[in-house]
Amino acid sequence: MNEKGIVAVAKSVRSLSMDAIQKANSGHPGLPMGCAELAATLYGEILKHNPKNSKWVDRDRFVLSAGHGSMLLYSILHLSGYKVTMDDIKNFRQVGSKCPGHPEYGVTDGVENTSGPLGQGVAMSVGMAIAESMLASRFNTAKHTIVDHYTYSLVGEGCLQEGVASEACSLAGHLKLGKLIVFYDENKISIDGSTDITFTDDIAKRFEAYGWQILKGDMYNPAQIISLVEEAKKCTDKPSLIMLKSVIGKGAPNEGTADVHGAPLGVEGVKKAKETLGLPVDKDFYVVPEAYTYFEEKQPLWQKAEKDWEAEFAAWAKENPELKKQWDAFFADKPTGQGTKPTYAVGDKLATRDGSGKALNYMADTYGNLVGGSADLMGPNKTKLKNDDGIYTPENRKGRTIEFGIREFAMSAICAGIRLHGGLRPFCATFMVFSDYLRPSLRVAALMGVNTIYVLTHDSIYVGEDGPTHQPIETAAVLRAIPNVQFLRPGDAEETLVAWEMAMESKDHPVCLALTRQGIPVYAKADKEWQTTARQGAYVVAEGAATPDITVLATGSEVAMALDAAKMVSGKTVRVVSVLDRNLFERQPKEFKDKIIGGAKRVVTAEAGISMGWEGLATSREDIFSIDRFGESGPANKVAEYLGFTAAKLADLLNK
């Protein structure tokens, strides 16, 4: 260990962090200044990585869960040789900067995930550790090890107070993820003051109860940190929490206080900090020369490590050509086989969740890298994989079905981590109403452009007896409102298969599939090219006439309702359109939308949810057939009758 080099790096991290934050007049200096030695030791002595190739498949991953401390990450990435320039550092928190306020995936070289919403980062790191173990079990052989890396994360008190961290860390302990190592910045300070005002958990006992190994040390003892990581690696059947006592804002005049957490030090504060740290007071963005030298001397070692891996990989590929084909398919999201595509006849009646179960198994047979599961709802969600490798457990890392337990938020964040790792395509499932529990993670997934698939069943009042707590009303509108989220609500089993195909085709966004509990009929489609047209958001199910009097835009189970209602209309021609993806349909050229609507003077919309969002499509507010109140408990059809949401009531509206 080059102690002098680590000291120089830590001092430089503090220098760059305080100056960048002061120049931006915005940011969080507390964590970067408090954890500088950890960053220096981790990137210099511990991580298996190559800054010249931040996408090396077998690199160790580092997740800064406490994303407000982003200058810690940007500083160390710059110093160690990633594509983060000094100009990038100087433009911290500016529009278009590669150093945004919180780390953003895809913006900054070397940043593994978007973090900032506390607790989500460590949950994503659990997903990365799961992915590593899945791929290792599938591709490593007796002679060659090509997947062998660790996942590290840095958390603070804020992360550990958020529920998603508890959910994810509980599951990580249960799954015995021995290659997950989490550092806890134990500074006992948050924005409002000492954490003792709200947070007096015994963290060691809490994580011990989760099934973690607990190690303790000093943030400012690099040799000890290295020793603790080595000890953590020896424990292969437990994730490790390394608790490091620290001083927030170390070196600043207000170190150890809440004042240094989330505000610049000020001109005088920066000056005094530099004096304390032995940095030149008259030089901004100063880097101790030995810091650059330290990392320059590491570069050949890092590049050799990757070249050695490449040689191992080449030998493995030569001896295992079929595995190599699978590997390439896994990382390119290409088929590894050919499943049997489900087919249906007009009149078949089944819930779209059942159609989804069939489509999912078809996709799983076709794409070997498709993995996932549900939040303790495998049966109701119809997500059981029939021809898989079993359940993912500590004893069976090849299992493609993950039992997440009742942990929707963690489930979503873990799936994002699996996808960020690379090589696997994750899906997760729950009741649609419980997407409220996972929505913060869905938002971050959308922000990152992660193409996770969400299977959301029990999509309306037709849940029935479970009542308003389980009947989504506003949920579709909420999910459609999130930028970069695709929300698909298929109208029958055939459309559900197309929806799954669209989901699998997505490259840069998460996809939500809204699926029925109740059986609905497979209907005839007037558009003979409907599978192509549907990919533009909507298609004509029943033409009615070349220029109909009324066009009904319906989604999900309401397509069948609209078809029934159309038969009850006299003296008017009615076209029925299935709107598989409303947002996508609205983005289409006017010519396409006009063709679908068919020149109808009156457009009525039908969806078992709130009216919000349909105003721009319906002819008038009165032509939105919706439910703008919570539901009721009772048999599904009785609830629909009570709420006036039936084909007969829709026909009454059409007959006006």
Side-chain angles (χ1 to χ4, degrees):
M1 182 189 77
N2 183 342
E3 186 174 351
K4 185 178 179 182
I6 290 176
V7 170
V9 173
K11 191 176 288 190
S12 300
V13 167
R14 292 189 173 98
S15 172
L16 295 177
S17 296
M18 72 172 91
D19 281 347
I21 291 166
Q22 185 60 39
K23 183 174 184 291
N25 196 29
S26 174
H28 298 73
L31 185 145
M33 297 184 73
C35 298
E37 280 77 6
L38 173 62
T41 307
L42 186 63
Y43 276 76
E45 304 291 334
I46 295 171
L47 283 184
K48 180 174 74 171
H49 66 139
N50 180 10
K52 301 305 180 186
N53 178 16
S54 63
K55 299 303 181 184
W56 175 19
V57 173
D58 201 41
R59 69 191 181 278
D60 287 341
R61 271 67 168 174
F62 173 65
V63 172
L64 179 64
S65 186
H68 54 276
S70 58
M71 268 313 305
L72 175 81
L73 186 53
Y74 301 147
S75 298
I76 199 65
L77 290 173
H78 166 72
L79 294 169
S80 61
Y82 287 84
K83 296 173 185 175
V84 178
T85 68
M86 185 61 80
D87 284 341
D88 294 330
I89 297 288
K90 291 178 179 179
N91 284 317
F92 175 59
R93 289 197 165 210
Q94 304 308 302
V95 174
S97 172
K98 290 184 180 179
C99 296
H102 293 81
E104 293 185 31
Y105 176 72
V107 172
T108 313
D109 188 44
V111 169
E112 300 283 3
N113 67 293
T114 295
S115 55
L118 293 176
Q120 291 198 44
V122 70
M124 283 185 257
S125 72
V126 173
M128 294 178 190
I130 288 173
E132 191 275 345
S133 68
M134 283 183 162
L135 293 170
S137 68
R138 190 166 295 274
F139 292 107
N140 289 343
T141 64
K143 288 183 62 177
H144 299 287
T145 299
I146 59 168
V147 181
D148 182 18
H149 52 266
Y150 286 81
T151 302
Y152 299 90
S153 184
L154 174 59
V155 302
E157 279 89 0
C159 287
L160 298 187
Q161 289 179 61
E162 290 289 356
V164 64
S166 299
E167 292 180 22
C169 292
S170 168
L171 184 60
H174 169 73
L175 293 174
K176 300 182 179 180
L177 298 175
K179 298 179 86 169
L180 173 64
I181 299 173
V182 175
F183 300 102
Y184 172 28
D185 173 24
E186 193 176 5
N187 61 48
K188 299 291 186 180
I189 295 293
S190 60
I191 291 177
D192 283 348
S194 167
T195 54
D196 288 342
I197 61 177
T198 60
F199 188 55
T200 53
D201 294 15
D202 187 326
I203 296 300
K205 288 183 178 178
R206 179 173 140 193
F207 273 75
E208 185 179 359
Y210 290 156
W212 287 55
Q213 174 182 224
I214 311 302
L215 303 171
K216 298 182 179 182
D218 178 2
M219 182 69 79
Y220 310 111
N221 187 335
Q224 185 186 57
I225 291 172
I226 293 170
S227 177
L228 290 171
V229 170
E230 290 174 350
E231 187 176 347
K233 289 182 176 181
K234 291 176 184 176
C235 182
T236 59
D237 63 348
K238 291 181 180 180
S240 294
L241 180 72
I242 300 178
M243 303 176 66
L244 299 174
K245 294 281 188 183
S246 67
V247 177
I248 192 171
K250 187 170 177 62
N254 51 355
E255 69 173 25
T257 71
D259 293 338
V260 77
H261 180 283
L265 302 185
V267 174
E268 284 303 309
V270 169
K271 180 180 178 181
K272 290 179 180 178
K274 289 181 177 179
E275 290 173 348
T276 299
L277 294 167
L279 292 164
V281 174
D282 59 341
K283 293 183 179 179
D284 292 339
F285 297 96
Y286 178 77
V287 173
V288 181
E290 289 85 355
Y292 284 136
T293 302
Y294 170 75
F295 280 122
E296 285 168 2
E297 292 174 351
K298 296 284 183 180
Q299 297 293 341
L301 298 175
W302 291 333
Q303 291 174 43
K304 182 180 183 300
E306 184 176 359
K307 286 186 182 299
D308 289 347
W309 177 84
E310 288 174 348
E312 178 80 0
F313 185 84
W316 166 85
K318 184 176 181 180
E319 294 179 21
N320 302 278
E322 290 305 313
L323 277 180
K324 175 60 164 56
K325 287 180 183 178
Q326 280 193 34
W327 174 277
D328 291 343
F330 271 46
F331 281 86
D333 290 331
K334 299 295 185 182
T336 55
Q338 183 55 59
T340 302
K341 184 180 289 192
T343 58
Y344 303 95
V346 172
D348 287 349
K349 188 173 184 179
L350 68 161
T352 54
R353 64 168 174 165
D354 290 309
S356 172
K358 295 176 187 295
L360 169 60
N361 273 281
Y362 161 60
M363 294 300 176
D365 289 343
T366 304
Y367 297 90
N369 71 339
L370 183 62
V371 302
S374 77
D376 196 50
L377 292 167
M378 187 189 305
N381 291 152
K382 306 299 182 183
T383 53
K384 181 175 176 56
L385 299 179
K386 297 176 181 177
N387 298 311
D388 69 343
D389 293 303
I391 305 297
Y392 174 80
T393 66
E395 297 75 32
N396 181 29
R397 298 302 195 192
K398 283 188 178 181
R400 294 170 65 186
T401 296
I402 304 171
E403 294 184 325
F404 290 103
I406 307 165
R407 301 181 178 97
E408 290 89 353
F409 195 169
M411 172 180 71
S412 175
I414 287 169
C415 283
I418 291 172
R419 187 55 182 166
L420 289 169
H421 178 279
L424 298 169
R425 185 73 188 276
F427 72 90
C428 59
T430 187
F431 289 167
M432 185 165 143
V433 76
F434 297 142
S435 63
D436 283 349
Y437 283 127
L438 61 78
R439 189 164 11 110
S441 171
L442 173 59
R443 182 179 188 273
V444 171
L447 187 60
M448 294 189 291
V450 172
N451 54 350
T452 309
I453 298 171
Y454 294 80
V455 177
L456 305 175
T457 69
H458 297 59
D459 68 347
S460 70
I461 59 166
Y462 296 102
V463 171
E465 288 87 349
D466 280 331
T469 59
H470 285 53
Q471 295 169 5
I473 297 295
E474 78 291 356
T475 313
V478 169
L479 295 174
R480 287 189 180 114
I482 305 173
N484 208 36
V485 170
Q486 185 168 27
F487 180 82
L488 304 176
R489 191 166 184 245
D492 69 2
E494 287 186 330
E495 283 187 29
T496 302
L497 176 58
V498 170
W500 259 104
E501 290 173 346
M502 292 171 68
M504 292 298 293
E505 291 161 7
S506 70
K507 301 297 182 185
D508 59 0
H509 59 270
V511 178
C512 295
L513 305 176
L515 306 163
T516 69
R517 178 196 185 194
Q518 78 278 16
I520 49 180
V522 174
Y523 37 73
K525 282 80 172 170
D527 183 349
K528 300 309 176 186
E529 303 296 325
W530 71 271
Q531 296 184 48
T532 299
T533 314
R535 283 173 162 76
Q536 294 179 267
Y539 73 96
V540 176
V541 176
E543 186 175 28
T547 305
D549 296 310
I550 304 171
T551 292
V552 181
L553 303 178
T555 77
S557 51
E558 286 66 70
V559 178
M561 173 190 286
L563 291 170
D564 289 341
K567 297 172 185 175
M568 305 177 199
V569 175
S570 59
K572 301 175 183 177
T573 55
V574 178
R575 173 173 294 187
V576 176
V577 172
S578 176
V579 184
L580 182 59
D581 181 340
R582 192 186 73 191
N583 288 348
L584 181 57
F585 176 60
E586 289 186 303
R587 292 196 300 269
Q588 296 302 315
K590 182 177 183 298
E591 294 76 17
F592 176 80
K593 288 185 283 189
D594 288 347
K595 180 180 178 182
I596 294 296
I597 291 171
K601 294 182 179 179
R602 187 179 173 204
V603 177
V604 174
T605 65
E607 183 171 67
I610 62 173
S611 56
M612 182 185 296
W614 289 103
E615 299 88 348
L617 291 169
T619 308
S620 67
R621 176 65 185 82
E622 290 70 29
D623 283 330
I624 302 175
F625 191 63
S626 60
I627 303 173
D628 287 290
R629 52 152 291 180
F630 291 123
E632 294 284 340
S633 179
N637 291 337
K638 296 293 185 182
V639 171
E641 290 174 8
Y642 179 81
L643 296 176
F645 198 78
T646 63
K649 290 294 185 180
L650 176 57
D652 289 344
L653 176 61
L654 298 178
N655 277 314
K656 286 184 178 178

